[in-house]
């Protein structure tokens, strides 16, 4: 968690750069939409500064009068582009089971029939050097193999939809897209936030108030494309909100390379006729600031110190009417050819005396071979130090155990050639009284009562587990509770398998048997299992001392 060092709120004197409003995701009859590209651009001029037509590429095999659809769309875009008034962009949408991706300003194209894998698509993208965007990142359409990181493709996939939808309500920035935006950033992608209408009807720009804010020097083709390449964007459910996140001369979307982890200043400017109800400044390490300003104009300055050499910050906002806005991040990075991301500490809940595992990815962001020294520190102690060689853009995955941990906060630091390029903190809970497993797989009686007891046990320092498939893994378990079967149910499910009986026989912990109503199986269980026979109340007294 970052420390907030300085916070200054000013409710006036807001100064903005040029903000233009676009829709970077739309379709026409050249794929599964309506109308022609000319009709789309002409219609959008009444509502937008920028419209990108991104028809599905798998419709492009069929030409029109001997000409390709991307070429005809490009001609239409050139006819309708007028600097200072309207910018028309052209592209295509690659769709596959792993996800959908927009590619902008390309006459060449690729579809799922020619290439259906992420690796193949990224190879094509790198070869053609085109700007791309992750579209509607939700499980329904695909999340790009959980945003598996490809360092070379990161140069070209520079945008991501945090909102997508054509419905009139315009409530398109949903929790799943927002979570996956953060997931993609944590995997290492450098992405600017957008929100698209994804039009399939003749309502380009008018479907709702969803917009992508684009901060550009001017409303010209070159300036708009430059801004999109640089991720100078925000996704919004409000059609004309003015938002600017910056740090000094750097705008949201910029990667700021720093030589030391010194104090940085972030500035947020907001202006709209709708009051800003809530905002959160979010970083890779968590939420660093929450405010409920209830104002139409805001100028906020805050000072933060990044904890390591790779940290990003963006702002999430919600207006009084419920409209949401998400900015692109600003990254602060120590210059390095090799970085660490996708850090995960497992398990999520760790108790005093237990061992954790640190999962992470380390990758080369250059097109050259690199050899580095990787040092992993837990607090002040070295966990691992190794020399690693990387081929160009190579990604490696590692798991490092911690050893027994003590109660309290801990932090893991990742150093590449002596520079701290990443870190993660976690908390270790007090020591458990014990780990209990309750059998639920064999038509067990008294399960509702046992689940109530389990809640009481967890509140007093026990950890309660349930078997998933068989009673075959009792490692780390101190107490096993088996309620014999109830009357009725499936007889085959009541039987303990040979492997289960062997596991129970070899179990070194305490076994409690709670008699169930099925007399036949009660007798069988008592013959097969050596354990203390107790009622629910007796079990409660033994474990809780009541």
């Amino acid at each position: 968690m970052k420390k907030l060092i300085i916070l200054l709120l000013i409710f006036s004197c807001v100064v903005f750069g040029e903000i233009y409003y676009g829709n970077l995701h739309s379709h026409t009859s050249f794929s599964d939409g309506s109308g022609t590209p000319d009709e789309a651009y002409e219609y959008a001029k009444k509502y937008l500064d920028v419209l990108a037509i991104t028809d599905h590429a798998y419709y492009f095999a069929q030409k029109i009068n001997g000409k390709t659809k991307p070429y005809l769309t490009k001609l239409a875009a050139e006819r309708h582009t007028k600097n200072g008034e309207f910018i028309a962009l052209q592209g295509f949408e690659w769709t596959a089971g792993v996800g959908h991706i927009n590619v902008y300003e390309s006459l060449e194209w690729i579809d799922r029939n020619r290439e259906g894998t992420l690796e193949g698509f990224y190879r094509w993208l790198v070869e053609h050097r085109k700007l791309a965007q992750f579209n509607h990142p939700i499980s329904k359409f695909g999340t790009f193999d959980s945003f598996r990181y490809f360092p070379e493709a990161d140069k070209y996939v520079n945008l991501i939809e945090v909102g997508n939808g054509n419905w009139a309500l315009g409530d398109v920035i949903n929790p799943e897209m927002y979570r996956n935006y953060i997931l993609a950033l944590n995997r290492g992608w450098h992405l600017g936030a957008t929100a698209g209408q994804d039009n399939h009807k003749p309502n380009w720009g008018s479907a709702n108030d969803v917009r992508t804010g684009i901060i550009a020097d001017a409303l010209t083709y070159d300036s708009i494309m430059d801004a999109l390449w640089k991720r100078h964007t925000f996704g919004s459910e409000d059609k004309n909100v003015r938002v600017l996140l910056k740090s000094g001369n750097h705008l949201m979307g910029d990667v700021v390379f720093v030589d030391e982890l010194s104090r940085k200043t972030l500035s947020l400017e907001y202006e709209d006729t709708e009051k800003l109800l809530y905002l959160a400044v979010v970083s890779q390490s968590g939420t660093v600031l929450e405010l409920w300003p209830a104002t139409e104009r805001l100028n906020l300055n805050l000072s933060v110190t990044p904890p390591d050499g790779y940290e990003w910050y963006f702002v999430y906002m919600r207006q009084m009417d419920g409209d949401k806005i998400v900015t692109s991040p600003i990254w602060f990075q120590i210059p390095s050819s090799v970085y660490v991301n996708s850090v995960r500490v497992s398990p999520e809940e760790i108790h005093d005396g237990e061992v954790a595992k640190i999962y992470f990815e380390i990758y080369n962001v250059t097109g050259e071979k690199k050899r580095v020294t990787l040092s992993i520190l837990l607090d002040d102690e070295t966990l691992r130090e190794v020399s690693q060689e990387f081929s160009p853009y190579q990604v490696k995955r590692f798991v490092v155990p911690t050893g027994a941990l003590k109660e309290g906060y801990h932090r893991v630091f990742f150093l590449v050639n002596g520079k701290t390029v990443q870190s993660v903190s976690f908390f270790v809970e007090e020591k458990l009284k014990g780990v209990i497993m309750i059998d639920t797989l064999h038509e067990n009686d008294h399960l509702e009562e046992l689940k109530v007891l389990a809640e009481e046990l967890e509140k007093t320092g026990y950890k309660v587990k349930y078997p998933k498939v068989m009673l075959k893994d009792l490692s780390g378990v101190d107490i096993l509770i088996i309620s014999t079967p109830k009357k009725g149910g499936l007889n085959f499910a009541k039987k303990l398998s040979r492997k289960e009986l062997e596991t129970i026989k070899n179990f070194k912990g305490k076994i409690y048997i709670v008699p169930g109503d099925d007399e036949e199986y009660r007798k069988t269980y008592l013959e097969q299992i050596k354990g203390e026979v107790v009622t629910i109340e007796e079990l409660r007294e033994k474990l809780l001392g009541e």
Side-chain angles (χ1 to χ4, degrees), residues 345-351 354 427-429 432 462-463:
V345 180
S346 180
E348 291 185 4
E349 183 178 309
I350 309 166
H351 294 266
E354 295 179 345
F427 185 75
V428 176
E429 307 282 350
L432 286 170
Y462 285 98
K463 183 176 183 179

Side-chain angles (χ1 to χ4, degrees), residues 102 135 146-147 149 200 209 227 262 278 297 319 358 368 494 504 523:
N102 275 353
N135 289 342
S146 296
F147 293 96
Y149 187 60
H200 288 76
D209 290 344
S262 58
Y278 168 82
R297 298 165 65 89
Q319 297 178 315
I358 313 297
E368 302 174 354
K494 298 179 180 182
I504 295 170
K523 181 180 179 181

Side-chain angles (χ1 to χ4, degrees), residues 215-489:
I215 297 87
D217 293 335
L219 187 57
T220 65
Y221 174 86
D222 288 341
S223 291
I224 292 298
M225 286 302 298
D226 181 65
L228 294 178
W229 273 105
K230 292 177 178 176
R231 304 170 292 267
H232 292 170
T233 60
F234 61 87
S236 174
E237 294 175 349
D238 184 285
K239 66 181 179 181
N240 55 10
V241 63
R242 298 175 64 82
V243 170
L244 189 67
L245 176 66
K246 59 185 180 180
S247 179
N249 295 325
H250 295 281
L251 294 175
M252 49 190 169
D254 285 347
V255 179
V256 184
F257 289 100
V258 296
D259 292 325
E260 58 182 16
L261 303 179
S262 58
R263 182 181 300 177
K264 311 299 176 188
T265 299
L266 298 175
S267 301
L268 174 69
E269 299 172 3
Y270 169 95
E271 183 177 4
D272 194 54
T273 55
E274 187 69 32
K275 288 184 177 181
L276 177 60
L277 172 65
Y278 168 82
L279 73 84
V281 179
V282 183
S283 79
Q284 188 173 36
S285 298
T287 300
V288 301
L289 174 69
E290 290 183 293
L291 285 177
W292 289 262
T295 180
E296 297 171 354
R297 298 165 65 89
L298 173 68
N299 188 347
L300 179 152
N301 293 308
L302 65 105
S303 182
V304 293
T305 302
D308 52 60
Y310 190 104
E311 191 74 5
W312 47 257
Y313 300 83
F314 71 82
V315 180
Y316 170 91
M317 287 162 277
R318 188 168 65 247
Q319 297 178 315
M320 287 287 190
D321 62 358
D323 285 347
K324 299 173 284 293
I325 304 107
V326 179
T327 76
S328 297
I330 293 177
W331 287 262
F332 295 105
Q333 294 181 209
I334 286 178
S336 179
S337 58
V338 173
Y339 289 99
V340 169
N341 261 306
S342 297
V343 181
R344 179 170 60 90
V345 180
S346 180
E348 291 185 4
E349 183 178 309
I350 309 166
H351 294 266
D352 186 279
E354 295 179 345
V355 173
K357 292 182 179 179
I358 313 297
Y359 296 79
F360 64 95
E361 293 182 351
I362 180 168
Y363 51 88
N364 179 9
V365 297
T366 76
E368 302 174 354
K369 289 184 177 180
K370 295 291 179 181
R371 177 176 288 276
V372 300
T373 298
L374 169 66
S375 305
I376 305 170
L377 278 64
L378 174 59
D379 303 323
D380 296 325
E381 301 292 328
T382 300
L383 278 179
R384 186 75 57 86
E385 184 166 291
V386 292
S387 177
Q388 287 290 313
E389 185 171 330
F390 293 84
S391 57
Y393 303 110
Q394 185 180 8
V395 179
K396 296 184 179 183
R397 296 169 179 85
F398 288 95
V399 183
V400 176
T402 62
L405 294 162
K406 294 183 178 180
E407 180 182 352
Y409 283 98
H410 298 272
R411 194 166 194 93
V412 179
F413 297 89
F414 300 86
L415 283 69
V416 171
N417 293 339
K419 296 181 178 179
T420 304
V421 297
Q422 190 57 267
S423 64
V424 64
S425 62
F426 62 96
F427 185 75
V428 176
E429 307 282 350
E430 65 181 352
K431 190 175 182 66
L432 286 170
K433 288 184 178 179
V435 177
I436 298 173
M437 178 170 283
I438 300 176
D439 179 27
T440 58
L441 301 177
H442 299 94
E443 298 286 358
N444 307 82
D445 207 349
H446 308 296
L447 285 187
E448 291 304 316
E449 297 165 274
L450 285 171
K451 288 179 180 178
V452 171
L453 175 59
E455 293 179 1
E456 298 176 44
L457 292 169
E458 287 180 328
K459 290 178 182 177
T460 59
Y462 285 98
K463 183 176 183 179
V464 179
K465 301 169 63 177
Y466 301 93
K468 295 181 179 179
V469 180
M470 293 177 65
L471 274 173
K472 62 178 182 179
D473 183 9
L474 298 178
S475 58
V477 175
D478 302 299
I479 299 171
L480 175 62
I481 299 174
I482 300 176
S483 176
T484 66
K486 62 188 176 183
K487 286 183 178 180

Side-chain angles (χ1 to χ4, degrees), residues 494-498 500-502 504-505 511 513 521-531:
K494 298 179 180 182
K495 296 178 181 178
L496 293 165
S497 70
R498 184 178 300 174
E500 289 177 316
L501 288 171
E502 185 178 348
I504 295 170
K505 181 180 179 180
I511 299 177
I513 303 172
Y521 277 94
R522 181 198 313 162
K523 181 180 179 181
T524 300
Y525 272 50
L526 292 176
E527 290 174 350
Q528 292 175 327
I529 302 171
K530 292 183 179 181

Side-chain angles (χ1 to χ4, degrees), residues 3-4 20 60 127 137 143 164 166 172 179 197 217 282 300 303 352 365 404 414 441 504-505 525 539 542:
K3 290 184 178 179
L4 180 62
Y20 302 102
F60 289 175
E127 179 184 345
T143 56
N164 172 286
N166 197 235
V172 304
R179 287 195 303 270
Q197 292 186 3
D217 293 335
V282 183
L300 179 152
S303 182
D352 186 279
V365 297
F414 300 86
L441 301 177
I504 295 170
K505 181 180 179 180
Y525 272 50
L539 184 61
K542 288 179 177 293

